[in-house]
Amino acid sequence: MNSNPMYMEYVDDADPQPSSRRGWRILGWVCIGLSAVMVAGSLTAYGLYRKAFGNIAHEDVNAQLGPNRPKKLNSAMNILMLGSDTREGGNAKYGRSLKNEPPRSDTMILLHLSPGGGQAMGISFPRDLMVRMPACKSRKGTTIPAQSRAQINSSFTNGGAACVIKTIESISNIRIDHFMQVDFTGFKAITSAVGGVPVCLPKAVNDPQSKLKLGKGEHVIKGETALAYVRVRHGLGDGSDLDRIKRQQKFMGALASKAMSAGVLSNPKKLYDLMNAVTKSLTTDKELTAPVMRDIAKEMQGMTSGKLRFVTVPSGPDPLDRNRVVLNQAAEPFFAAVRNDKTVPKEPKAGEVKIPPSQIRVRVYNGSGIQGQAKRVADDLESQGFHVTVGGNAPSTTATKVLYGSGADQQALSLAGLIPSKPQPAARTKGATPGVVDLVVGGDWTKLNNAGGGIPKQQGEIRANDDICKE
């Protein structure tokens, strides 16, 4: 058992446990219904939503956040979704010994809604992620000093939603527009309201701690069974936090796909039950009003499950603690792509080869004679998701050149297609690096066209329409 009080092990039984076991791990359940509702477009049933809107609790976080926040760069919407393990009310049976302790959140998902409503992405932040923590107000109103290294889920325990927002904004520089927070009981009601969620087990599970007993293969689960499925620790996967997140994301996708189905959206009773299930356990910022929710839903009208993606923020093992993870070198290009998301990616034409920026390594040289030009171009490339280094100065040239090392010819074609002058890629005969494209910026450089918009495909991402039995 780790001695860190923020390192929370499972308490899989409802009855009080030894004090050394600190509490449940929420996993990803509490945000599932929120993402499903937000992207399904079901909120356009405004009369139903307005009736249910009175169930929602609100919290004023603006005063705690202050003025020093990231700028909003576009019309995308970023909604932080949090799970709370409060033991108040109907949640008391899930660990009575924790009733008087401050609530925790091991579920932090940033729901990014692209401009124009064509796609959405749920970005999971592992609860074991070690980050720098900005100063924030505690739940009692005192100031908690900034920390150079802290576990991200401690931000919610320390200062609630406002502290989590400050933390994620500080490490990503992404402006968070709103937050949503929901508890245990809301999850069960949501899964029941949609008529159950399909899951697929690679083997039979009989876990006495979570009380999950299901055979191998496909099942439709809801209520307590669904709760047991998302909380199970033994018998599924390798037991790692990242493996559990992957399972959660598949569950989220399946639930979102179910919520988007005609069987829910065209059924007034199911739709209203879903609205009630979400709103009865929901807390949001004061600015997330009924008209704002309606406008978001209008933007997302026509959303399909294939356009709903789930990813985990780029991270890897923490060199200081093998039980923790830290952001890796892919995190900043990913955050930049989210910050600069302007449009939905265009599908490649038939026969067109288009390598996503996240799979292209570019080395930028300055042949323009303009001081600092290579760095400016490199920053532009990085903001679109390319992996970039600056190679320095090159002999002066009027025409921009795209050169490539062995194995990078298709990547070079994809990059050249974004340059207005459309340079013809050529193999680099001297000084080439395998797998790397060299961009020599010439005097004719004007700008880099948008790489089709949206956020490049991420390693290990899951879409809501994926086969639930696909590994």
Side-chain angles (χ1 to χ4, degrees):
M1 168 69 71
N2 194 298
S3 61
N4 182 348
M6 284 300 123
Y7 184 74
M8 293 168 23
E9 301 290 343
Y10 283 89
V11 173
D12 285 313
D13 299 322
D15 294 327
Q17 299 290 311
S19 59
S20 61
R21 303 184 72 181
R22 298 293 299 173
W24 272 28
R25 296 207 41 215
I26 305 293
L27 303 178
W29 34 8
V30 292
C31 293
I32 295 166
L34 304 183
S35 56
V37 170
M38 289 303 300
V39 301
S42 58
L43 294 182
T44 52
Y46 188 52
L48 290 177
Y49 180 73
R50 190 153 184 88
K51 186 175 180 181
F53 189 77
N55 297 326
I56 298 176
H58 296 282
E59 185 177 323
D60 187 359
V61 296
N62 275 344
Q64 299 177 58
L65 294 174
N68 299 320
R69 302 180 62 194
K71 293 182 179 178
K72 189 168 177 63
L73 303 179
N74 48 45
S75 61
M77 183 71 70
N78 296 303
I79 302 172
L80 178 65
M81 300 192 296
L82 300 168
S84 170
D85 72 349
T86 177
R87 285 346 193 252
E88 294 182 357
N91 300 294
K93 69 177 182 177
Y94 298 110
R96 296 182 181 91
S97 63
L98 301 172
K99 184 176 180 180
N100 297 320
E101 293 196 16
R104 299 177 176 86
S105 177
D106 282 323
T107 300
M108 298 177 184
I109 299 176
L110 185 61
L111 180 63
H112 174 80
L113 308 178
S114 292
Q119 72 170 1
M121 175 178 280
I123 305 166
S124 296
F125 287 79
R127 59 96 165 167
D128 291 337
L129 183 68
M130 302 304 293
V131 298
R132 62 181 183 273
M133 196 85 71
C136 61
K137 292 287 186 181
S138 73
R139 293 176 182 272
K140 296 182 179 179
T142 59
T143 298
I144 300 174
Q147 302 172 66
S148 60
R149 175 180 163 84
Q151 193 166 310
I152 194 168
N153 69 335
S154 66
S155 59
F156 184 80
T157 304
N158 290 339
C163 196
V164 181
I165 292 171
K166 287 190 73 171
T167 300
I168 292 181
E169 286 189 342
S170 72
I171 63 176
S172 68
N173 206 28
I174 296 170
R175 176 67 173 245
I176 296 176
D177 301 285
H178 302 288
F179 85 90
M180 292 179 165
Q181 176 183 315
V182 73
D183 60 25
F184 291 151
T185 55
F187 167 78
K188 294 190 298 180
I190 290 164
T191 60
S192 296
V194 298
V197 180
V199 298
C200 186
L201 277 69
K203 61 181 181 179
V205 176
N206 185 2
D207 178 39
Q209 289 185 305
S210 66
K211 299 179 176 62
L212 179 67
K213 185 176 181 179
L214 289 173
K216 179 181 177 180
E218 295 186 39
H219 302 270
V220 176
I221 59 176
K222 60 184 178 180
E224 290 287 354
T225 303
L227 190 61
Y229 175 80
V230 295
R231 65 184 274 209
V232 66
R233 180 184 185 185
H234 308 287
L236 286 178
D238 60 12
S240 70
D241 196 43
L242 296 180
D243 183 81
R244 285 188 288 265
I245 286 176
K246 183 72 68 176
R247 179 156 40 96
Q248 297 160 29
Q249 290 171 341
K250 285 187 176 182
F251 192 95
M252 291 185 223
L255 175 54
S257 186
K258 186 71 176 288
M260 292 178 190
S261 71
V264 174
L265 299 185
S266 63
N267 185 317
K269 184 181 185 305
K270 284 188 176 181
L271 179 56
Y272 184 61
D273 286 347
L274 181 57
M275 294 290 108
N276 264 338
V278 174
T279 57
K280 281 183 178 178
S281 60
L282 186 62
T283 300
T284 76
D285 54 286
K286 290 180 68 175
E287 288 71 34
L288 193 54
T289 61
V292 171
M293 295 283 268
R294 177 195 59 193
D295 291 342
I296 292 172
K298 284 182 177 179
E299 281 290 304
M300 303 309 293
Q301 186 72 15
M303 178 80 179
T304 62
S305 58
K307 295 295 185 180
L308 172 57
R309 307 154 66 188
F310 296 96
V311 302
T312 302
V313 67
S315 56
D318 181 357
L320 300 180
D321 186 341
R322 62 185 180 86
N323 294 317
R324 304 290 185 272
V325 294
V326 292
L327 297 176
N328 63 25
Q329 62 182 7
E332 179 46 42
F334 171 71
F335 289 145
V338 175
R339 288 194 301 267
N340 292 279
D341 182 17
K342 295 180 176 63
T343 59
V344 179
K346 297 177 181 177
E347 295 295 330
K349 297 177 182 178
E352 179 184 5
V353 176
K354 191 172 184 181
I355 309 296
S358 61
Q359 298 178 22
I360 302 178
R361 295 161 59 199
V362 184
R363 186 166 49 190
V364 183
Y365 292 89
N366 188 2
S368 68
I370 303 172
Q371 188 174 0
Q373 184 76 315
K375 178 63 167 59
R376 286 187 287 272
V377 173
D379 289 345
D380 195 4
L381 284 163
E382 191 173 71
S383 73
Q384 295 202 38
F386 290 88
H387 297 279
V388 188
T389 57
V390 177
N393 291 322
S396 181
T397 176
T398 301
T400 294
K401 301 175 183 178
V402 175
L403 310 172
Y404 57 87
S406 60
D409 53 332
Q410 297 301 315
Q411 290 88 337
L413 278 170
S414 295
L415 174 61
L418 301 177
I419 301 171
S421 61
K422 295 293 188 291
Q424 182 64 41
R428 183 158 188 162
T429 56
K430 189 176 181 180
T433 300
V436 174
V437 179
D438 288 335
L439 173 62
V440 181
V441 180
D444 64 346
W445 183 269
T446 53
K447 65 174 183 177
L448 183 73
N449 292 332
N450 189 275
I455 303 167
K457 182 177 180 180
Q458 301 298 305
Q459 183 177 2
E461 78 169 44
I462 290 171
R463 292 183 182 257
N465 66 343
D466 284 349
D467 182 348
I468 59 171
C469 293
K470 180 182 177 182
E471 289 296 327

